[in-house]
Structures are given as C-alpha cells and as structure tokens.
Amino acid sequence: MSTYLRVLGTEDMAEAPYTSSERLSRLTGFSAPQVRRDLACFGHFGRRGVGYPVKVLQSEIRSILGIDRDWKVCVVGVGNLGNALMRYAGFEERGFKVVAAFDASPAKVGLTVGGVKVEPVAGLSRRVREEGVQLAIISVPAEAAQEVLDQLVAGGVRAVLNFARRTLAAPEDVVISSVDLAVEIEYLSYALAGRGVR
Amino acid sequence: MSTYLRVLGTEDMAEAPYTSSERLSRLTGFSAPQVRRDLACFGHFGRRGVGYPVKVLQSEIRSILGIDRDWKVCVVGVGNLGNALMRYAGFEERGFKVVAAFDASPAKVGLTVGGVKVEPVAGLSRRVREEGVQLAIISVPAEAAQEVLDQLVAGGVRAVLNFARRTLAAPEDVVISSVDLAVEIEYLSYALAGRGVR
DNA sequence: GGGTGTGAAACTCTTCACAGCG
DNA sequence: CGCTGTGAAGAGTTTCACACCC
C-alpha cells in the first residue's frame, strides 16, 4: 500500500486522471494481478474498462494507512542513526512529527537536532505521556533497547520502530517493527558469495 | 541466518558449548521447528540428544553468509543517512569495510567521514572499479538513484543496498535490497489506526 | 531420555484465467 | 472493447508429529 501511494505521487501519474493495474505493475515491480488483488482487498476503487482514479486512490490509501492525520513521534537514542532519522524529511512529509528526543549521554542532552531539544532518558515514560507520543523510534545500543521499550510502553506508546539489533519483548497490543541493517547487508553478502563472487 | 548468528553471540550462549532449537527459539522469536528446519537446510550441524555446538554453528553461519571474509563497500550520497551509515560500527564488525564515499554536492566533496574522504560522484564507476568495490549503499534522493545504480553496475558492483524511495531497474545478476523507512513507519501507522488509536 | 531432522498436513500467498461491468 | 474483481489452481511456507540417533 505504501509503495502504491509512492508511485501514485510520481509525475507519470499526474497526466491522466486514471491509471491501470498494468501501469502500477511497471512502476512498483509487482505483478498486475497482485496489484488488483491488493487494491481490491480494501475496497472497490477501480472502474472496469477505465482503471483506478489517481486522486481518489491516493486519498483512500492515505486513509487506510492512517496517514490522513498527524502522528506524534519520539526518537530515543540520538547517535549517528538517531540524528539522521530526526532530520529525515520523509517522516514529516507523511505526517510523522518528531515532538521529542531522548538520550542517555549528558553530552547529547540539551542539543537541538532538527528543531527538537534532546532530553535525558530518565524522564522518558513521563515525558512521552505528557507529549502524547503515539509512536517511538528506538536507535539505542542493543543492551539498552529492552529497558527503553519498557519505559515507552509504560508511557503509553503502542507502536515502535526498532533499529536496535535485539529481539524485543512487549505486550500483545504493542506493534513493533524492526529494521536490522546488518541483516540487510548480510543478505547481500550471502547472495554474492552464492554467485561465486570473491 | 543473520539473526541466529546474532543471538549466538549473546552472553547466554557463552556458558555452555551446546545450545538447542528450543533456546534459539526463545532468543529469536521463531518457533523451534522453524529453527531446526532453517539450520538443517544448510547442513547437519546438530547432534541428536545434544543440540547445536555454538562455536561450530557460528563459524558455519559466517561461512554461509559470506562474512568469513572482508567486503569492500562504498556509500553514495553522504547526507544525513549516508553519514550515519558510514559511521555505523555494525558494518565494520561484520567485515564490511567502507573504502569510498561519493556525493554530488561540492560542499560534501573533500570532507572526511569515518576516515574516508568524500569524492565527486562524477568519477563513480571508474573509482569503484579501481578500488574493487563489491557492494554499494545508495543513500541519495530518489531522483538520482537510478543514475547512480547504472554507474555502479558499470563499475562492476553486483550488490546494492538501496535507501532511496524508488523502484530500481538493474540486470538480472545484480542483487538489490531496498530499505524504505517510510514503508516501515507507515506500517506502524496502519496498525495503530486499525486498532482504533486516535 | 533428549533433541535433531524430516515427511506429511495445513496454511498462506501468488498466479492464472476469465467472468462481468462500465 | 478494456480493465477490474475474483474463484480456482499452483507454489511456497509454516506447523506438526514422530522416527531416529546420540
């Protein structure tokens, strides 16, 4: 869905008011039947013999993804990666507003990154609740990740994007999505090695 | 596999010379039969009634993933994210050495990031070939990504980790792994919205 | 006994082909 | 006629249970 929304914003889409599963297939790399099934799964957006109305589809997908509104986000761990994530324009564009940032290091506390002041991690759960943060990004070292997650959950956060290399335990009603950069690059290494690259 | 290797490095593993699918299941979050099947897929590492030898399993997985050696990596696009990736310790630990970095902006060229000097993107394909780069990381804006990829392929790169929000076209023998941060966070938004969080 | 390795069943996801509607 | 939506077939994955070996 996220990918469909991305390609719908492409200039190729601006010209005509309607697009087709065939064209979406080319732009996304998914098969055309796959596109139709994905879109049909959330409602009957297409018109037979015509295609999908670009504008309507965009706003429908935004609504499905829940990005027809703003979300309050906090970043925990303002290291290299945390810094980059706080400045990442893609989040703000999609309605994800970084309203708070936390770090354990006194050297980081007090700095302003991307217009947000870095606070001590000690007040995490309290401050998260005060600010009404709904979504958190964890970019702390693996050892600290579980403790940070527990504090976030205590503060009422129900969705977490985790960059720490560690399996995290959380209650059923908390959604966690983990991105492991080492896994990604090791997959490439595996593919290269399998192809006999030396 | 990458995940198994990670948990094998955990201190919980250091005590005993053997581990079990049961224990790996708890540490990874995968089911125990899943663990056994994954490991059996690459060879008979386990001993019935005993378990898997931790040390042997580690070196076997390293060999399978192709990280029992060093890979030469370059980073294209030294923005917020590219900067963070160049300093990311996880890559170097696993044998991924950043040997070159490129950026289109004259303001970035000449800077030294993580001990590597940033070069102009103009010489990309030539320099990549000279340095023997096998693996590239793309962290440029979406508009520039396809051109960068073409240059990398021309320079002999066969594996690419792509952070640009764009579908990329490449020859069959080039492996591309894409990480889209917007997709990750939109999934969380979708999950929250579906659970009635407002 | 304990724990792996694996065939078979169950399930999910994808592909295909085509009915059906504008 | 064109293109969506969808049932049915197919492929791939996960789960289960248990044989088998240390």
Side-chain angles (χ1 to χ4, degrees):
Chain A
M1 282 298 145
S2 195
T3 305
Y4 295 129
L5 184 57
R6 193 192 70 210
V7 302
L8 285 171
T10 308
E11 68 273 23
D12 306 17
M13 286 294 154
E15 38 193 57
Y18 285 87
T19 187
S20 67
S21 58
E22 185 67 39
R23 200 190 297 197
L24 289 171
S25 166
R26 275 200 306 279
L27 290 169
T28 58
F30 309 151
S31 72
Q34 179 77 61
V35 172
R36 293 203 294 276
R37 190 166 285 274
D38 287 346
L39 297 180
C41 174
F42 291 100
H44 301 223
F45 305 132
R47 299 232 302 238
R48 302 177 191 222
V50 183
Y52 299 93
V54 176
K55 291 287 175 196
V56 174
L57 195 53
Q58 280 183 322
S59 69
E60 284 292 340
I61 295 180
R62 278 207 194 87
S63 165
I64 290 163
L65 291 178
I67 54 172
D68 51 347
R69 43 159 295 174
D70 280 354
W71 294 99
K72 290 182 185 172
V73 180
C74 79
V75 174
V76 189
V78 189
N80 296 324
L81 190 57
N83 228 288
L85 294 170
M86 287 181 71
R87 298 172 198 268
Y88 181 54
F91 289 153
E92 181 115 24
E93 277 166 22
R94 301 265 157 150
F96 299 95
K97 297 224 170 236
V98 178
V99 297
F102 304 89
D103 202 289
S105 158
K108 299 269 171 58
V109 172
L111 293 177
T112 298
V113 180
V116 177
K117 210 165 185 179
V118 179
E119 306 178 40
V121 81
L124 185 56
S125 66
R126 180 180 50 83
R127 289 286 297 127
V128 157
R129 193 174 289 282
E130 281 173 8
E131 292 285 343
V133 169
Q134 297 127 337
L135 209 153
I137 297 175
I138 296 181
S139 50
V140 300
E143 314 82 66
Q146 183 65 58
E147 171 63 18
V148 164
L149 177 59
D150 294 343
Q151 292 295 316
L152 287 167
V153 172
V157 172
R158 290 287 156 61
V160 175
L161 181 52
N162 172 48
F163 288 89
R165 307 201 59 221
R166 159 136 196 190
T167 312
L168 296 175
E172 276 286 316
D173 65 334
V174 177
V175 209
I176 299 179
S177 180
S178 286
V179 176
D180 189 334
L181 298 177
V183 170
E184 300 299 331
I185 205 163
E186 279 169 7
Y187 164 67
L188 293 175
S189 163
Y190 166 69
L192 280 181
R195 284 157 197 228
V197 176
R198 56 180 177 73
Chain B
M1 281 298 144
S2 195
T3 305
Y4 295 129
L5 184 57
R6 194 192 70 211
V7 302
L8 285 171
T10 308
E11 67 273 24
D12 306 17
M13 287 292 153
E15 39 192 56
Y18 286 87
T19 188
S20 67
S21 57
E22 186 67 38
R23 200 190 296 198
L24 289 172
S25 165
R26 274 199 305 279
L27 290 169
T28 58
F30 309 151
S31 72
Q34 178 77 59
V35 172
R36 292 203 295 276
R37 191 166 284 274
D38 287 347
L39 297 180
C41 175
F42 290 100
H44 302 220
F45 305 131
R47 299 226 310 234
R48 302 179 190 222
V50 183
Y52 299 93
V54 176
K55 290 286 175 198
V56 174
L57 196 52
Q58 280 183 322
S59 69
E60 284 292 341
I61 295 180
R62 278 207 195 85
S63 164
I64 291 163
L65 291 178
I67 55 173
D68 51 347
R69 44 158 295 173
D70 281 353
W71 293 100
K72 291 182 184 172
V73 180
C74 79
V75 174
V76 190
V78 190
N80 295 325
L81 189 57
N83 228 289
L85 294 170
M86 288 181 71
R87 299 171 197 269
Y88 181 53
F91 289 152
E92 181 116 25
E93 278 168 22
R94 300 264 157 152
F96 299 95
K97 296 223 170 240
V98 177
V99 297
F102 304 89
D103 202 290
S105 157
K108 300 269 171 58
V109 172
L111 293 177
T112 299
V113 180
V116 176
K117 210 165 183 179
V118 179
E119 306 178 39
V121 81
L124 185 56
S125 67
R126 178 179 52 82
R127 290 286 297 126
V128 158
R129 192 174 291 282
E130 282 174 8
E131 293 285 343
V133 169
Q134 296 128 338
L135 209 153
I137 297 175
I138 296 182
S139 50
V140 300
E143 314 81 66
Q146 183 65 58
E147 170 64 19
V148 164
L149 176 60
D150 294 344
Q151 293 295 315
L152 288 167
V153 172
V157 173
R158 288 287 183 290
V160 175
L161 181 52
N162 171 49
F163 288 89
R165 307 201 59 222
R166 159 139 194 187
T167 312
L168 296 175
E172 275 286 317
D173 65 333
V174 177
V175 209
I176 300 179
S177 180
S178 286
V179 177
D180 189 335
L181 298 177
V183 170
E184 299 299 330
I185 205 163
E186 279 168 8
Y187 163 68
L188 293 175
S189 162
Y190 166 68
L192 281 182
R195 284 157 197 228
V197 177
R198 55 181 176 76

